[in-house]
């Protein structure tokens, strides 16, 4: 429960204490959010889906009361249509904002788990190469996991540390690895773990399995980089269109049309047009950045 949730006005621990009487309501709310249970598993938020849904509900009630009071006070002072009209507007706007807050809060674990998976993918190949070298040198898989957990591979070290602690607590190695695969959102880590589990169950060589897994992951990440480079060519053309062609040609055409057609192009319209192109460029840059594969070869 150490993870801090943005936009939460009331801390998680306090929200859970306030919402203890709404256990059934929390279960019903969690049922409307598919995958919330597994999203929470992939984060550092040590709560069940029911507890987290209740915490979100408490915060949304707080958001509703805050904005209701703010809008009601403002509208009642500025308008002369009476208390009923101000009350209706305040309730409507408060409900809309609180619903948006609730949607944002319940989706946050999915976003957080995705970011954590990206950090796992970034260092997974290097960690697996390290494990392969250790296993080839005669180190057991359990000791290799412990060594990796202390080697500074970021989120990969943390995931391996959890598995090592589970094994140390008496959980079989294959069960600990299966749990790590279920709780992680990283596609690469899941693929790696399931192959290791199958190797352990079949009694095959871990050395050969780890080398094959490393080769497959490296090849897959290189293919992603190649695909991104090809995709980047298209988005570069689109960006140049909005960064150069549309502002230059568009502004020229606006000036010409305003001279011949009599349509008044004011300074405000011209500035708004330029601002629109800048916003589109910013959105395109952000989109291309999100498409970039998180790999480290």
């Amino acid at each position: 429960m150490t993870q801090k949730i943005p936009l939460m006005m009331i801390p998680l621990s306090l929200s859970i204490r306030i919402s203890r009487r709404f256990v059934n309501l929390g279960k019903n709310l969690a049922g409307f959010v598919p995958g919330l249970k597994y999203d929470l598993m992939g984060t550092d938020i040590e709560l069940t889906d029911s507890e987290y849904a209740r915490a979100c509900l408490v915060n949304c009630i707080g958001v509703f009361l805050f904005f209701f009071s703010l809008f009601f006070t403002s509208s009642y002072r500025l308008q002369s249509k009476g208390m009923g009209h101000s009350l209706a507007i305040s309730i409507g706007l408060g409900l809309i904002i609180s619903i948006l807050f609730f949607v944002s809060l319940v989706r946050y674990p999915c976003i957080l788990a995705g970011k954590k998976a990206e950090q796992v993918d970034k260092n997974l190949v290097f960690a697996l190469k390290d494990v392969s070298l250790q296993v080839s040198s005669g180190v057991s898989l359990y000791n290799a996991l412990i060594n990796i957990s202390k080697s500074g591979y970021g989120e990969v070290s943390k995931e391996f540390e959890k598995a090592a602690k589970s094994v140390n607590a008496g959980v079989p190695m294959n069960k600990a690895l299966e749990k790590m695969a279920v709780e992680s959102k990283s596609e690469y880590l899941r693929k790696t773990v399931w192959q290791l589990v199958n190797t352990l169950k079949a009694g095959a060589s871990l050395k050969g399995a780890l080398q094959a897994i490393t080769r497959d992951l490296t090849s897959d990440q290189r293919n992603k980089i190649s695909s991104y480079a090809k995709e980047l060519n298209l988005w570069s053309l689109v960006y140049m269109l909005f960064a150069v062609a549309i502002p230059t040609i568009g502004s020229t055409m606006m000036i010409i049309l305003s001279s011949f057609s009599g349509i008044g192009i004011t300074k405000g319209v011209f500035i708004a047009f330029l601002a629109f192109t800048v916003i589109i460029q910013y959105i395109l840059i952000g989109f291309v950045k999100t498409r970039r594969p998180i790999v480290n070869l």
Side-chain angles (χ1 to χ4, degrees):
M1 204 183 298
T2 58
Q3 181 67 39
K4 185 177 180 181
I5 310 298
L7 300 180
M8 266 201 177
M9 300 174 62
I10 306 173
L12 272 174
S13 55
L14 180 58
S15 300
I16 294 300
R17 288 199 296 269
I18 294 175
S19 62
R20 284 177 180 174
R21 297 183 179 181
F22 308 109
V23 176
N24 293 329
L25 182 58
K27 292 180 180 179
N28 293 331
L29 286 174
F32 287 102
V33 188
L36 179 60
K37 176 181 177 181
Y38 297 101
D39 291 336
L40 289 169
M41 287 182 179
T43 66
D44 296 327
I45 305 173
E46 299 175 359
L47 294 175
T48 64
D49 54 347
S50 174
E51 291 173 336
Y52 185 77
R54 283 156 40 200
C56 293
L57 177 63
V58 169
N59 276 270
C60 288
I61 292 174
V63 168
F64 170 78
L65 293 176
F66 173 77
F67 282 100
F68 168 77
S69 303
L70 180 64
F71 289 133
F72 180 76
T73 304
S74 301
S75 61
Y76 187 69
R77 289 181 177 180
L78 297 176
Q79 296 184 10
S80 58
K81 296 183 179 180
M83 182 179 294
H85 185 265
S86 300
L87 193 64
I89 292 178
S90 303
I91 292 175
L93 292 176
L95 283 174
I96 292 173
I97 294 175
S98 60
I99 290 172
L100 292 176
F101 263 79
F102 182 80
V103 173
S104 301
L105 289 174
V106 296
R107 293 300 300 168
Y108 181 73
C110 180
I111 298 172
L112 187 63
K115 290 182 177 179
K116 186 176 180 180
E118 289 179 352
Q119 295 303 315
V120 169
D121 294 341
K122 184 177 181 181
N123 297 309
L124 182 60
V125 172
F126 294 112
L128 288 178
K129 288 180 180 180
D130 197 346
V131 173
S132 179
L133 287 173
Q134 294 185 46
V135 171
S136 301
S137 303
V139 179
S140 66
L141 182 59
Y142 169 69
N143 289 327
L145 293 181
I146 294 178
N147 294 333
I148 293 299
S149 67
K150 300 176 181 178
S151 298
Y153 288 109
E155 292 296 333
V156 179
S157 295
K158 293 180 181 178
E159 294 297 320
F160 281 18
E161 183 181 5
K162 292 178 183 178
K165 286 182 178 179
S166 297
V167 175
N168 192 39
V171 179
M173 176 63 74
N174 58 338
K175 296 295 182 182
L177 292 175
E178 288 176 2
K179 181 182 178 183
M180 181 169 62
V182 170
E183 292 181 352
S184 178
K185 284 284 185 178
S186 170
E187 180 183 351
Y188 291 132
L189 183 61
R190 286 182 176 180
K191 186 187 299 184
T192 300
V193 169
W194 288 123
Q195 290 187 30
L196 284 176
V197 169
N198 292 332
T199 302
L200 290 172
K201 289 182 178 179
S205 171
L206 281 175
K207 176 183 175 182
L210 286 168
Q211 290 176 348
I213 292 168
T214 304
R215 286 195 302 268
D216 291 341
L217 292 181
T218 303
S219 176
D220 196 4
Q221 291 190 352
R222 285 176 177 169
N223 290 335
K224 279 196 170 185
I225 294 173
S226 178
S227 299
Y228 176 71
K230 295 177 181 178
E231 184 180 348
L232 195 60
N233 294 330
L234 172 62
W235 291 114
S236 298
L237 291 175
V238 175
Y239 176 78
M240 292 298 294
L241 179 66
F242 282 96
V244 179
I246 290 180
T248 304
I249 300 174
S251 58
T252 304
M253 291 297 296
M254 289 174 65
I255 294 172
I256 294 173
L257 288 175
S258 64
S259 301
F260 290 96
S261 63
I263 301 175
I265 305 297
T266 63
K267 182 179 179 180
V269 173
F270 189 77
I271 293 175
F273 169 74
L274 294 179
F276 173 75
T277 58
V278 171
I279 292 172
I280 295 297
Q281 293 174 40
Y282 179 78
I283 294 173
L284 284 173
I285 292 172
F287 177 76
V288 172
K289 186 178 180 180
T290 59
R291 298 287 297 172
R292 182 178 61 189
I294 307 297
V295 296
N296 194 2
L297 296 175

